[in-house]
């Protein structure tokens, strides 16, 4: 009886899965075109799935091992089941392998069930709660029907007229498992991520995130530029169909694990943003409908069931129900913690900025001080609206060399808009002192420097960003230098990672990296640290965006400081709340993000928090009743400088000359 039923069940499930896949692909293809190499992506899929994906999943060893056992067992069992029970190739070797695969899947499903007994708040409930039972049904059913194949049960045991009831029960269990695993994978359900996720990895919008080198995935964090010359192209994303097809595919790959939710600073602060819910809302919009079936944490202060949309309807509606409220998009600090934690490598920040672009460029709806800041950038080339001619007023007594006079230097010091801020001017003065102590050949652009465009771009004003960037690129093209050094990670990121699309290619260093290199070259000498305990706050745009975690700590170590790490540090550092234009849009929540970060500092027991970003300095120093002093790394280094002897200077110069064949870069 089973010999007749099993092929029918298997191939019916496969046929339905294929129909569902075609239907799912049509949903994704509603999006705008995006050129990908289909063959290359499919060839790269095994490595991306087995290496690059587990580079992130492996941070939780239990879940990683569970995934290997469950997913690996399922893939092997599915293929072998088709061969053994679908096509009738029932030899003992294939049967034995099928038993092993289904047993592995069953063991994995036990751990899935254990996790679902008392799931953390970040995990979605609803249909996901049945997943362990479905996994068990598939693995147990396949295991039992395969036992006769390897001779562990008599061949005719399930075929006699007296055993028809047992055969029907087994067929029903297998059908249950097939329904969830095959049918549900493409039609929608807890296993949907397995189908969409695999194709998302193959056709990822940022293929450069995947590495062929040992160590797993690489970094690709610069925003994609809009083609402002193409009048037919939408300015940002107004409706789900305005996303590219592989972005829609990426949203559909979401496994609803909530790892993004757990690290989102806006969600923790009680602002109306939950990155997991946002991605699910995009899936709702892609297929059409409402969020009433969503079974995870809602946006803080916004109940589930109030949002609805369609593929060609507006995401943020002017009136009536919408997929997303504008405040949700403006709550994001673009810290990229969600992207860093996502095991499916979904690009939440890209999507948010794409939607902001429409609100800013098409509707002119930038909240609170957003419009004023953008007007200032257009009128004065800086977000504060200061007189551009006053950019160097803070350095009137320093006699800084100007590129317009020198034309060629080793280091171009990029001041950033911290040059207009009295607090950051202290950091800049400290950095100048350090550069001069190390006898660095440097100069500044002075009044020729304009805002890097970071704030405009994150607020969605791509036109103002590109205008500022192109003018800066034209200015830089007039001069010769080996590298740019800046104490602003936002400028560092934009100059190094986002100007390239517009024709500006530069070697850019954050000041902590450059200071570490100067110390290693013997060009700086420090007095022993005599202060109190110190912790270090990783700026998002230096750490998560650009992978620089070691250099700041190496500088602090060179100062004789033993860093007391906060619980959330490195790639899991908590945002200060100052990125993405968040202080400008100022969406209210239950608490402030910088207050939470300073509480992390307090829990570390440190008396001083070292930083490497003007935004972080401003946000953390703005905390009332802070328990720790806030100092930039450049300030700590400047305070510890020891004047070197002539022999030290000569030796350092020889070492530097020997170790660097400074090939001149023309920019």
């Amino acid at each position: 009886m089973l010999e007749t039923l099993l092929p029918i069940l298997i191939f019916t499930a496969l046929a339905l899965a294929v129909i569902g896949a075609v239907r799912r692909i049509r949903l994704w293809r509603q999006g705008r075109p995006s050129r990908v190499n289909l063959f290359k992506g499919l060839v790269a899929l095994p490595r991306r799935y087995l290496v690059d994906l587990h580079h992130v999943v492996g941070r939780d060893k239990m879940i990683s091992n569970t995934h290997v056992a469950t997913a690996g067992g399922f893939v092997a069992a599915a293929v072998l089941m088709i061969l053994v029970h679908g096509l009738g190739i029932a030899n003992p070797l294939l049967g034995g392998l099928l038993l092993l695969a289904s047993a592995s899947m069953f063991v994995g499903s036990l751990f899935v069930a254990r996790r679902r007994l008392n799931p953390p708040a970040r995990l979605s409930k609803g249909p996901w709660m049945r997943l362990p039972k479905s996994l068990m049904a598939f693995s147990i059913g396949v295991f039992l029907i395969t036992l006769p194949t390897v001779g562990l049960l008599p061949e005719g045991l399930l075929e006699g007229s007296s055993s028809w009831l047992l055969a029907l029960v087994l067929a029903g269990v297998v059908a249950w498992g097939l329904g969830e695993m095959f049918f549900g994978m493409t039609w929608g359900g807890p296993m949907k991520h397995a189908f969409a996720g695999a194709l998302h990895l193959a056709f990822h919008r940022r293929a450069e995130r995947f590495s062929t080198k040992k160590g797993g995935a690489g970094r690709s964090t610069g925003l994609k530029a809009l083609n402002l010359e193409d009048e037919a192209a939408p300015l940002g994303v107004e409706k789900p169909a305005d996303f590219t097809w592989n972005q829609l595919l990426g949203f559909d790959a979401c496994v609803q694990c909530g790892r993004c939710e757990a690290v989102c600073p806006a969600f923790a602060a009680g602002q109306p943003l939950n990155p997991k819910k946002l991605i699910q809302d995009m899936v709702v919009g892609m297929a059409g409908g409402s969020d009433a079936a969503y079974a995870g944490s809602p946006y803080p202060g916004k109940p589930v069931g109030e949002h609805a949309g369609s593929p060609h309807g507006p995401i943020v509606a002017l009136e009536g129900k919408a997929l997303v409220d504008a405040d949700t998009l403006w709550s994001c600090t673009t810290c990229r913690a969600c992207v860093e934690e996502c095991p499916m490598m979904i690009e939440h920040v890209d999507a948010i900025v794409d939607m902001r672009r429409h609100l800013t460029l098409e509707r002119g709806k930038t909240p609170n001080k957003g419009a004023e800041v953008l007007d200032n950038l257009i009128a004065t080339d800086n977000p504060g609206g200061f007189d551009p001619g006053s950019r160097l007023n803070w350095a009137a007594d320093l006699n800084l060399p100007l590129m317009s006079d020198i034309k060629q230097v080793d280091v171009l010091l990029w001041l950033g808009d911290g040059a207009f801020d009295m607090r950051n001017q202290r950091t800049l003065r400290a950095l100048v002192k350090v550069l001069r102590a190390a006898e660095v050949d440097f100069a500044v652009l002075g009044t020729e420097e304009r805002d890097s465009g970071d704030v405009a771009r994150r607020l969605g004003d791509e036109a103002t960003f590109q205008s500022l960037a192109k003018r800066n690129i034209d200015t830089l093209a007039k001069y010769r230098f080996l590298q740019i050094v800046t104490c602003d990670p936002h400028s560092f990121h934009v100059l190094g990672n986002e100007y390239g699309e517009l024709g500006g290619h530069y070697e850019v260093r954050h000041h902590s990296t450059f200071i570490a290199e100067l110390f290693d070259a013997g060009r700086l000498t420090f007095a022993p640290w005599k202060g109190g305990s110190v912790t270090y706050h990783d700026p998002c745009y230096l750490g998560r965006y650009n992978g620089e975690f070691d250099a700041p700590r190496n500088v602090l170590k060179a100062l004789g400081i033993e860093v007391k790490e906060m619980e959330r540090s490195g790639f899991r550092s908590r945002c200060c709340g100052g990125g993405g234009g968040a202080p400008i849009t100022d969406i209210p929540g239950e608490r402030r993000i910088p207050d939470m970060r300073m509480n992390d500092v307090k829990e570390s027991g440190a008396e001083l928090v070292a930083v490497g970003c003007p935004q972080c300095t401003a946000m953390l120093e703005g905390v009332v009743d802070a328990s720790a002093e806030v100092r930039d790394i450049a300030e700590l280094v400047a305070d510890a400088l020891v004047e070197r002897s002539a022999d030290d200077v000569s030796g350092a110069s020889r070492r530097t000359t020997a170790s660097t064949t400074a090939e001149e870069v023309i920019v």
Side-chain angles (χ1 to χ4, degrees):
M1 183 175 183
L2 277 178
E3 286 184 356
T4 303
L5 284 177
L6 286 176
I8 295 173
L9 289 174
I10 291 170
F11 289 110
T12 299
L14 284 173
L16 290 172
V18 170
I19 294 170
V22 172
R23 173 180 171 272
R24 211 81 209 165
I25 290 169
R26 284 177 176 171
L27 290 177
W28 304 333
R29 295 297 291 179
Q30 295 174 109
R32 291 188 297 112
S34 177
R35 297 187 64 181
V36 297
N37 189 320
L38 298 179
F39 177 75
K40 186 176 180 181
L42 290 173
V43 169
L45 176 58
R47 177 184 171 83
R48 293 179 181 181
Y49 183 82
L50 297 172
V51 179
D52 294 332
L53 178 63
H54 280 276
H55 173 72
V56 180
V57 177
R59 294 169 185 170
D60 186 330
K61 294 299 181 185
M62 195 275 281
I63 293 301
S64 176
N65 294 333
T66 297
H67 189 261
V68 169
T70 309
F74 165 67
V75 171
V79 173
L80 290 166
M81 182 183 63
I82 293 170
L83 295 175
V84 173
H85 298 295
L87 299 177
I89 310 175
N91 66 63
L93 175 60
L94 291 179
L97 292 174
L98 180 51
L99 287 179
L100 287 175
S102 56
S104 170
M105 183 180 176
F106 178 74
V107 172
S109 69
L110 291 177
F111 284 93
V112 175
R114 178 187 173 190
R115 182 175 175 77
R116 287 283 164 179
L117 286 177
N118 186 24
R122 63 180 174 84
L123 286 179
S124 289
K125 312 299 189 299
W128 296 89
M129 300 304 287
R130 73 171 186 256
L131 183 58
K133 302 180 185 69
S134 301
L135 294 171
M136 289 179 185
F138 183 86
S139 55
I140 291 173
V142 171
F143 187 88
L144 291 176
I145 63 174
T146 307
L147 289 175
T149 304
V150 295
L152 295 178
L153 286 177
E155 285 284 349
L157 179 65
L158 300 176
E159 300 303 326
S161 58
S162 62
S163 301
W164 65 270
L165 182 59
L166 178 59
L168 283 177
V169 169
L170 283 177
V173 172
V174 172
W176 175 9
L178 285 172
E180 188 78 87
M181 299 298 108
F182 287 12
F183 181 76
M185 192 184 297
T186 57
W187 284 84
M191 285 298 295
K192 175 168 63 70
H193 71 279
F195 173 65
L199 294 182
H200 169 56
L201 294 177
F203 310 133
H204 200 283
R205 192 185 189 213
R206 294 176 179 270
E208 61 272 21
R209 279 193 70 181
F210 302 97
S211 173
T212 57
K213 299 178 182 178
K214 186 178 180 180
R219 292 186 183 275
S220 171
T221 57
L223 291 172
K224 305 288 187 181
L226 288 182
N227 182 2
L228 299 176
E229 305 300 321
D230 184 359
E231 295 183 1
L235 296 178
V237 167
E238 177 187 11
K239 50 190 182 293
D242 287 338
F243 286 111
T244 63
W245 70 266
N246 47 354
Q247 278 182 293
L248 294 178
L249 167 59
F251 303 151
D252 217 19
C254 177
V255 69
Q256 297 195 43
C257 65
R259 285 170 60 163
C260 58
E261 171 187 315
V263 297
C264 176
F267 181 79
Q271 294 175 246
L273 170 62
N274 177 347
K276 181 180 77 173
K277 175 68 163 59
L278 178 69
I279 295 302
Q280 290 307 306
D281 284 343
M282 295 305 103
V283 175
V284 167
M286 175 186 73
S290 80
D291 67 341
Y294 174 69
S297 303
Y299 300 127
K302 295 181 182 292
V304 170
E306 294 185 350
H307 297 86
S310 63
H312 300 285
I315 292 172
V316 179
L318 295 176
E319 57 183 25
K321 278 192 175 183
L323 267 178
V324 173
D325 296 329
D327 282 358
T328 292
L329 304 179
W330 296 115
S331 294
C332 180
T333 66
T334 67
C335 71
R336 209 172 167 81
C338 52
V339 180
E340 182 72 33
E341 285 294 325
C342 180
M344 301 309 293
M345 295 192 171
I346 298 169
E347 296 284 343
H348 312 66
V349 174
D350 282 5
I352 288 171
V353 173
D354 281 342
M355 289 183 278
R356 284 183 177 185
R357 284 168 169 170
H358 170 76
L359 295 179
T360 296
L361 294 173
E362 294 282 13
R363 295 193 192 173
K365 297 289 186 181
T366 314
N368 295 322
K369 294 184 179 179
E372 177 185 340
V373 166
L374 295 175
D375 287 344
N376 287 339
L377 284 168
I378 294 169
T380 66
D381 297 332
N382 66 82
F386 299 105
D387 177 7
S390 65
R391 187 177 286 271
L392 279 184
N393 285 2
W394 61 274
D397 60 328
L398 295 180
N399 193 28
L400 294 179
L402 296 175
M403 288 299 296
S404 57
D405 296 331
I406 299 176
K407 307 297 184 185
Q408 179 174 335
V409 291
D410 290 342
V411 171
L412 168 62
L413 177 59
W414 186 273
L415 303 177
D417 287 308
F420 296 107
D421 176 68
M422 290 182 65
R423 174 60 185 89
N424 193 60
Q425 289 166 6
R426 286 158 42 195
T427 299
L428 290 172
R429 292 180 73 89
L431 181 56
V432 168
K433 180 181 178 181
V434 173
L435 296 179
R436 284 180 166 164
E439 298 184 342
V440 174
D441 176 31
F442 78 96
V444 299
L445 289 173
T447 56
E448 289 187 289
E449 181 183 317
R450 296 174 177 84
D451 182 88
S452 66
D454 167 76
V455 173
R457 182 162 241 197
R458 269 72 203 170
L459 289 177
D461 191 347
E462 182 73 5
T464 297
F465 163 74
Q466 291 195 20
S467 174
L468 289 166
K470 288 175 180 177
R471 285 186 287 164
N472 278 324
I473 291 169
D474 289 343
T475 298
L476 293 171
K478 298 189 296 184
Y479 306 117
R480 297 170 183 243
F481 49 89
L482 298 178
Q483 57 188 321
I484 298 173
V485 172
T486 180
C487 64
D488 179 11
H490 296 263
S491 296
F492 162 65
H493 171 72
V494 171
L495 292 168
N497 297 318
E498 296 187 350
Y499 272 29
E501 267 193 292
L502 303 175
H505 301 278
Y506 315 108
E507 182 178 347
V508 189
R509 289 279 193 277
H510 184 253
H511 71 307
S512 64
T513 308
F514 191 63
I515 291 171
E517 292 170 351
L518 292 175
F519 177 79
D520 290 341
R523 296 172 68 175
L524 293 172
T525 304
F526 305 135
W529 174 254
K530 295 181 180 179
S533 56
V534 178
T535 190
Y536 172 67
H537 165 73
D538 290 275
C540 302
Y541 276 74
L542 181 63
R544 273 189 292 272
Y545 271 79
N546 290 285
E548 183 58 276
F549 303 106
D550 295 334
R553 290 172 171 82
N554 291 339
V555 172
L556 295 174
K557 183 179 179 181
L559 293 172
I561 296 172
E562 183 178 347
V563 177
K564 300 182 70 173
E565 295 286 3
M566 289 178 270
E567 183 178 353
R568 287 186 59 171
S569 62
F571 69 86
R572 281 187 169 146
S573 176
R574 193 196 301 271
C575 178
C576 73
I584 297 167
T585 57
D586 197 23
I587 304 302
E590 297 171 4
R591 58 195 69 86
R592 297 177 68 248
I593 296 173
D595 291 349
M596 294 190 297
R597 190 52 172 166
M598 283 304 286
N599 189 57
D600 294 340
V601 173
K602 182 178 181 180
E603 290 179 354
S604 76
E607 300 169 82
L608 183 148
V609 53
V611 297
C613 172
Q615 294 281 4
C616 297
T617 302
M619 298 304 291
L620 297 181
E621 283 194 338
V623 174
V624 178
D625 297 328
S627 61
E629 182 184 4
V630 181
R631 300 286 302 281
D632 191 273
I633 284 176
E635 295 177 284
L636 298 176
V637 170
D639 289 346
L641 284 174
V642 174
E643 187 175 345
R644 297 176 299 152
S645 67
D647 290 340
D648 291 336
V649 174
S650 176
S653 177
R654 287 195 298 273
R655 286 195 297 275
T656 303
T657 301
S659 63
T660 58
T661 56
E663 179 182 350
E664 185 176 274
V665 178
I666 300 176
V667 295

